Amino acid sequence: MSSAGPRGLPDVDAMTPAVLVLAGPVTKDEVTGLCDDVRALLEGSGAGVVVCDVGGLGPPGLGAVDLLARLQLAARRSGGRIRLRDPDPGLHALLDLVGLRFEVEGQVEQREPALGVEEAVEPGDPAV
């Protein structure tokens, strides 16, 4: 005996971002489709963030930088943003070099102190 599935739209957890896996070198022809995927994931999840797993993207280069910049632009135009998962250290350095800042999964945001870290003041330090 089987029962019918629930009626209506499935529940979506707005706290769990959608994930887009980027594998292998991406050609220019694929960029438009990936931008459409980011927009669709943002609209479908309602979370406001799409996690881009870039671990399998391949060696870092300007093609990867261009792809990530276009994905971020597509996400921003849809009212969201992207977050990188598992970026190669070379890709991270290249993004910094060209002035693109991306949120990376597992990193503490710059405006928040790391957990368990307290700022100490030495006696005699001048007030700022």
Side-chain angles (χ1 to χ4, degrees):
M1 188 166 153
S2 65
S3 62
R7 297 185 65 150
L9 297 173
D11 291 329
V12 176
D13 181 8
M15 297 305 291
T16 305
V19 177
L20 177 66
V21 178
L22 302 173
V26 177
T27 65
K28 288 186 178 187
D29 297 334
E30 297 171 317
V31 172
T32 303
L34 291 170
C35 289
D36 292 340
D37 292 344
V38 165
R39 283 189 284 273
L41 288 170
L42 283 169
E43 292 169 5
S45 70
V49 175
V50 173
V51 174
C52 292
D53 188 339
V54 295
L57 197 55
L62 293 178
V65 170
D66 180 59
L67 169 66
L68 293 174
R70 290 176 186 275
L71 292 178
Q72 181 75 303
L73 181 61
R76 296 275 179 170
R77 287 180 175 168
S78 296
R81 65 185 192 282
I82 65 170
R83 179 184 308 147
L84 303 183
R85 176 184 289 169
D86 194 27
D88 182 271
L91 177 61
H92 197 76
L94 188 57
L95 290 169
D96 283 344
L97 181 68
V98 298
L100 292 175
R101 303 279 184 225
F102 286 93
E103 185 179 337
V104 177
E105 236 180 22
Q107 282 187 341
V108 178
E109 293 184 29
Q110 288 184 354
R111 65 182 178 267
E112 297 178 6
L115 296 176
V117 175
E118 295 182 17
E119 189 173 319
V121 178
E122 295 294 324
D125 281 351
V128 179

